[in-house]
Every structure is written in structure tokens, then in C-alpha cells.
Amino acid sequence: MDKSESTKIEMGESSKLERKLGKAPLLGSPSHAISSSVPIVANNKRVGNYKKGISIFDLILRIASVATSIGAAVGMATAGETLPFFTQFFQFEAGYDDLPTFTFFVIAMSIVVAYLVLSIPFSIVCIARSHVVAPRLLLIIFDTVIITLTTSAAGASTAIVYLAHNGNQDANWLAFCNQFGDFCQTTSGAVVAAFITIVLLLILIVLSAIALKRH
């Protein structure tokens, strides 16, 4: 076999090899890199939509928490009743400021209202930029502090409301809700609104934890 024939055979084999390689994409080719990155981009988009949905729900719950906490604070602050009968020296009336526990309740719930209003812009930031971690982390920290304050105020006021309705013979505390029915009803409603706020704050903390975990 001469040199010309061997050259033709080598060229024929190399052309066949090139055709085979042209049919199968190389692992390092740009087309393979693009196709492999498509599932990653789609997954990131799903995660982003998921976080955005959580942030929108977070904003709705915060607005609802503002409403319930305002109802609790205003309800307790306006609780008061004066009996229609009085003597020459005494006038029978009851107000929230007669009991330090109810005063603490009004102050605590006012702080809760102020915090929830200030936290709404951070919740909006989490909607606009769902991948940002810092606002969500701040919210979950301060939500935990606020739910502790709300729970302490609601728990202490619940004990006073219970004594107002039922009294305590061992402590010689007489039930006075039979006489001050409107006052007791208003304070009870304020305590119930505070417990609703606690439930909403608890859900907010869980949502923030889920969003951070998905990150």
C-alpha cells in the first residue's frame, strides 16, 4: 500500500469519527451547560414564588394583628362603668386604671401596636425581595420578643378577669361583675383580642422560620 492510499484511509476514518462526534454532544459544550442549568433556574423560580407567597400572607397577618391589638388596647383603655346609685360620700365606679394589671395591659398592647405598624414596611420589603434574609431575620427576632410581651399581658389580665367574674373566697376577693357587667364584658373582650393577637404572631413566627429554612 502506497502513501496515497494510506492517506485516503486515514482521511476517511477521521471524517467518520467527526460525523459520529457531531451527532453526540460533548459534555463540555455550551449547549450541554445551558440545558443542565435550565432545571436549576426553574427550581430557583419556584422557590422565589414560594417565598413571595409566604411574604404576602405575612403582610396580611400583620395587618390583621394590628387590628386585633388595637382592639385590645382601645377596649381595655375605654373600659369603665359607674353605677347609677351613690351615697353622700361614695360613688361606685370601676376603670382599667384602678387595677395595675390592666394598666400594664394597655401599655403592653400599645407597644405591640406600634411594633406591628413599624414591621409592615419590612414585610413589604420581603415581598419585593424575597431572597433577602436580613429583614426576615429581624422580623422573627422581634416577633418573638413581642409575642412574649403580649402573652405576659394577656395572661396576667386573664387572672384578674377570672377573679372579677368568680372571686376568691380564700383571698376574700368578691366577684363584682354582677354589679359592673359592662366593665367586665369590655375587659374580657380586650383579653380575647389579645389572645387572638398571640395566635397571629405565632403563625407569623412559623412563616418566617419556614421562609428562612427554604433559603
Side-chain angles (χ1 to χ4, degrees):
M1 182 180 295
D2 55 4
K3 293 182 178 180
S4 61
E5 292 179 354
S6 61
T7 303
K8 291 180 181 179
I9 294 173
E10 291 176 358
M11 290 178 63
E13 292 177 352
S14 62
S15 62
K16 292 179 181 180
L17 181 60
E18 290 176 356
R19 286 195 298 270
K20 291 180 180 180
L21 292 175
K23 293 180 181 179
L26 297 176
L27 293 177
S29 62
S31 60
H32 179 75
I34 293 173
S35 62
S36 61
S37 64
V38 170
I40 298 175
V41 173
N43 184 54
N44 291 336
K45 187 175 181 180
R46 284 197 302 269
V47 173
N49 293 334
Y50 181 80
K51 286 185 177 182
K52 189 174 182 179
I54 291 178
S55 300
I56 293 173
F57 191 42
D58 179 278
L59 178 61
I60 295 172
L61 289 179
R62 286 187 187 279
I63 295 174
S65 300
V66 170
T68 56
S69 57
I70 288 177
V74 173
M76 185 65 76
T78 57
E81 185 179 2
T82 301
L83 296 183
F85 56 88
F86 56 90
T87 66
Q88 183 179 359
F89 301 100
F90 296 100
Q91 184 177 13
F92 300 96
E93 61 179 355
Y96 82 94
D97 52 351
D98 294 329
L99 297 168
T101 303
F102 287 165
T103 303
F104 167 68
F105 181 91
V106 173
I107 296 173
M109 294 310 299
S110 300
I111 295 173
V112 173
V113 172
Y115 163 74
L116 289 172
V117 171
L118 293 175
S119 68
I120 288 177
F122 289 91
S123 182
I124 295 174
V125 170
C126 292
I127 295 175
R129 299 182 178 181
S130 57
H131 62 281
V132 178
V133 178
R136 181 67 63 190
L137 188 60
L138 287 175
L139 286 176
I140 195 173
I141 292 173
F142 285 103
D143 285 348
T144 305
V145 175
I146 289 299
I147 196 174
T148 304
L149 178 62
T150 309
T151 303
S152 62
S157 298
T158 301
I160 299 300
V161 170
Y162 175 82
L163 290 175
H165 281 278
N166 301 300
N168 190 328
Q169 294 180 356
D170 296 333
N172 198 23
W173 188 309
L174 300 177
F176 60 86
C177 282
N178 293 330
Q179 291 77 27
F180 298 94
D182 293 339
F183 174 77
C184 290
Q185 185 177 1
T186 304
T187 55
S188 300
V191 172
V192 171
F195 276 108
I196 295 175
T197 304
I198 292 172
V199 174
L200 294 176
L201 286 171
L202 183 61
I203 297 175
L204 287 172
I205 293 173
V206 173
L207 289 176
S208 297
I210 293 174
L212 289 175
K213 183 179 180 181
R214 295 285 295 188
H215 182 80

